């Protein structure tokens, strides 16, 4: 499973990249706005940190605008994946960008038929927003299951990227369902690697080591 960090904060990205657990990065206009920096500047710096798919989102909503922005973003670095909203104009743009060899991440997916059409249009990734569906009393993981099943039935090559992840269980469930990727906030990546018994066990080992001759070293 590919694990991406869902962040535009380069300090967060450097932190998890140093652990070697990150395959790529997703950003969105909200995450970029929080940095106070321009999209271009942030994306170029992220591309220097992580050698993998880096999603950068367009803000146009018309076909020409999405294609123009998509080409500009893709020209920033070979690893840029253009993030396109799941609207009719977006799918037209995905088709054009795909024909030019530009990878896309179709975002704001909330239903299986939306995901089916995005795959038909040639999306590289589809991003179902799990947490936001759960927030609205839906079942985000059921959507992941439906999309994975539909893509499998027809050999569709679009990758399912579980997005809007809120906690570690979302990541485990997405992995068990066969999602190709999950994009995970920095805090949740740290939650994924933490376990209270690891901390208790380590504290005990260090305590015992201090009592050994030589302090447990060598
Ligand atoms: C996906 O690519 C989005 O950036 C993100 O996962 C949205 O998550 P949120 O619902 O926590 O804003």
């Amino acid at each position: 499973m590919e694990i991406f960090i869902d962040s535009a904060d380069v300090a967060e990205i450097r932190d998890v990249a140093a652990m070697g657990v990150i395959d790529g990065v997703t950003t969105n206009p909200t995450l970029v706005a929080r940095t106070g920096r321009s999209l271009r500047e942030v994306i170029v710096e992220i591309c220097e940190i992580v050698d993998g798919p880096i999603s950068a989102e367009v803000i146009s909503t018309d076909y020409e605008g999405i294609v123009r922005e998509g080409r500009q973003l893709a020209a920033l670095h070979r690893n840029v994946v253009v993030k396109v909203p799941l609207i009719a104009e977006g799918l037209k743009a995905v088709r054009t960008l795909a024909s030019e060899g530009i990878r896309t991440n179709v975002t704001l997916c909330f239903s299986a038929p939306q995901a089916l059409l995005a795959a038909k249009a040639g999306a590289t990734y589809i991003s179902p927003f799990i947490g936001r569906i759960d927030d609205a009393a839906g079942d985000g993981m059921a959507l992941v299951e439906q999309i994975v099943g539909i893509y499998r039935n027809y050999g569709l090559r679009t990758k399912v990227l579980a997005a809007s992840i809120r906690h570690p269980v979302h990541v485990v469930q997405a992995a068990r369902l066969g999602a190709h990727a999950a994009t995970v906030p920095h805090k949740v990546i740290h939650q994924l690697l933490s376990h209270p018994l690891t901390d208790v066990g380590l504290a005990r080992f260090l305590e015992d080591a201090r009592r050994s001759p030589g302090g447990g070293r060598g």
Side-chain angles (χ1 to χ4, degrees):
M1 186 192 211
E2 292 176 312
I3 297 184
F4 299 161
I5 179 170
D6 196 27
S7 176
D9 180 325
V10 292
E12 290 184 354
I13 295 168
R14 282 185 203 285
D15 175 51
V16 292
M19 289 189 275
V21 298
I22 291 305
D23 300 296
V25 180
T26 57
T27 66
N28 64 41
T30 304
L31 294 171
V32 173
R34 268 185 214 150
T35 69
R37 304 171 69 195
S38 74
L39 173 62
R40 183 193 171 89
E41 186 186 324
V42 168
I43 293 298
V44 168
E45 187 169 350
I46 293 173
C47 288
E48 285 165 8
I49 303 169
V50 177
D51 184 18
I54 312 297
S55 289
E57 189 158 341
V58 300
I59 51 168
S60 297
T61 54
D62 62 298
Y63 167 78
E64 284 82 10
I66 295 171
V67 170
R68 187 173 55 249
E69 268 190 75
R71 287 175 181 149
Q72 286 166 355
L73 290 170
L76 291 177
H77 194 280
R78 65 185 158 78
N79 283 343
V80 169
V81 174
V82 179
K83 212 166 165 190
V84 176
L86 212 163
I87 55 176
E89 296 292 287
L91 294 192
K92 291 176 197 169
V94 165
R95 181 177 183 226
T96 298
L97 294 170
S99 74
E100 296 174 10
I102 296 175
R103 292 178 298 166
T104 56
N105 171 359
V106 176
T107 188
L108 292 165
C109 173
F110 293 94
S111 79
Q114 284 184 314
L116 176 58
L117 296 189
K120 298 281 289 179
T124 313
Y125 291 95
I126 183 72
S127 288
F129 273 37
I130 311 312
R132 293 194 194 185
I133 294 173
D134 289 359
D135 290 346
D139 184 348
M141 221 36 80
L143 175 59
V144 171
E145 188 171 18
Q146 287 171 16
I147 299 172
V148 168
I150 291 168
Y151 284 6
R152 213 172 263 160
N153 284 346
Y154 298 102
L156 294 167
R157 293 169 59 186
T158 301
K159 291 182 174 179
V160 181
L161 168 52
S164 186
I165 295 279
R166 299 273 194 262
H167 49 70
V169 176
H170 275 157
V171 179
V172 174
Q173 289 175 323
R176 294 187 69 181
L177 290 170
H180 304 85
T183 186
V184 188
H186 179 261
K187 177 184 149 204
V188 179
I189 293 174
H190 276 272
Q191 288 175 328
L192 287 174
L193 68 84
S194 302
H195 197 288
L197 291 179
T198 304
D199 298 340
V200 169
L202 178 60
R204 176 69 187 270
F205 285 155
L206 295 179
E207 180 64 34
D208 291 346
R210 270 193 289 276
R211 285 200 286 264
S212 304
R217 289 180 203 278

